[in-house]
Amino acid sequence: MKNILEKIKPLNNIFVLVIIFLVVYLFLISGSISNHAMIVNEPDNNFNQRFLIQKDVSYSFNIADKLEGAGQVRLVVDNDKLTGIASGVGSTYRGKIDLHSKLDGNVDRLSGEIKLVINGIGDPVGVPGKVSFQGPIIGSLVDNKLRLVGDVDINGWVAACAGFGSKEELVIEINDKSIVKMLKKATHNLAMR
């Protein structure tokens, strides 16, 4: 019996040491995890702000010397997401065209560049037929303007009759200080992440 107790005693000591080691180890790990979580969740004025603005703004647009126009767009900037619903009237040498389009995109987290896709329909006034246009456009902030430029695909026999190619450069300018200010903040903070 004495031999058995002598064999168990060192095992008890090892078991107690292992338990103490595990308790100390878990205590140290839990302290570092909670500190890390506090840092991650701690509000930071520069990086964890939510950027949200929804606003109806006027815009102008053109396709080279073939089309010029203006309209209204409801823009929503939500952190790095940018969406919009636009309507407007454009003029060509052949007449007027009612335009309706959707903008959808984001602010690139690495470069801070504004990347959108536009999808739209044009309804020529007094002429049967429709025109569609779609494609990527890139935004830049110039002075107090958001300038969107890109080559868009244009489809429809009416557009071809009016002299539009199958791909044309579209330029959109939105002149609104609050939208530009919000996008400048968003692009700056996202580029720094």
Side-chain angles (χ1 to χ4, degrees):
M1 178 81 167
K2 190 176 180 182
N3 286 343
I4 294 173
L5 289 175
E6 286 176 2
K7 287 181 181 178
I8 292 176
K9 193 172 183 180
L11 289 177
N12 280 342
N13 289 341
I14 292 172
F15 181 72
V16 169
L17 285 174
V18 167
I19 295 294
I20 291 171
F21 175 75
L22 285 174
V23 168
V24 170
Y25 178 73
L26 290 173
F27 176 75
L28 290 173
I29 287 178
S30 67
S32 67
I33 289 172
S34 63
N35 287 342
H36 179 66
M38 286 193 311
I39 290 168
V40 169
N41 294 326
E42 192 174 71
D44 183 339
N45 290 336
N46 292 327
F47 299 111
N48 290 332
Q49 292 182 44
R50 181 167 186 220
F51 298 100
L52 177 62
I53 190 169
Q54 178 175 323
K55 194 170 183 184
D56 292 324
V57 294
S58 55
Y59 72 100
S60 62
F61 59 92
N62 69 71
I63 295 180
D65 57 351
K66 299 174 184 175
L67 174 75
E68 282 189 3
Q72 287 285 118
V73 58
R74 169 159 287 192
L75 274 183
V76 178
V77 181
D78 187 355
N79 281 349
D80 62 340
K81 303 291 181 210
L82 183 75
T83 56
I85 302 287
S87 60
V89 176
S91 296
T92 70
Y93 76 96
R94 295 259 177 158
K96 295 195 179 297
I97 183 168
D98 289 327
L99 298 162
H100 302 278
S101 55
K102 284 176 63 176
L103 299 165
D104 190 24
N106 66 326
V107 179
D108 187 278
R109 287 183 178 272
L110 296 175
S111 67
E113 191 173 54
I114 300 165
K115 298 178 178 179
L116 298 169
V117 173
I118 188 168
N119 282 293
I121 295 289
D123 188 9
V125 177
V127 178
K130 300 275 185 195
V131 175
S132 68
F133 52 96
Q134 61 276 328
I137 51 179
I138 303 296
S140 58
L141 301 169
V142 182
D143 299 324
N144 286 317
K145 291 181 184 176
L146 168 59
R147 190 167 194 267
L148 302 163
V149 180
D151 290 332
V152 296
D153 296 320
I154 298 178
N155 298 301
W157 69 270
V158 178
C161 290
F164 289 90
S166 61
K167 194 176 281 285
E168 296 277 1
E169 185 183 68
L170 172 65
V171 177
I172 299 171
E173 287 191 342
I174 298 169
N175 189 358
D176 185 88
K177 289 181 182 177
S178 59
I179 292 285
V180 170
K181 183 178 177 183
M182 187 67 68
L183 283 169
K184 278 183 179 174
K185 276 187 180 178
T187 54
H188 174 73
N189 284 325
L190 288 167
M192 290 183 66
R193 285 185 184 185

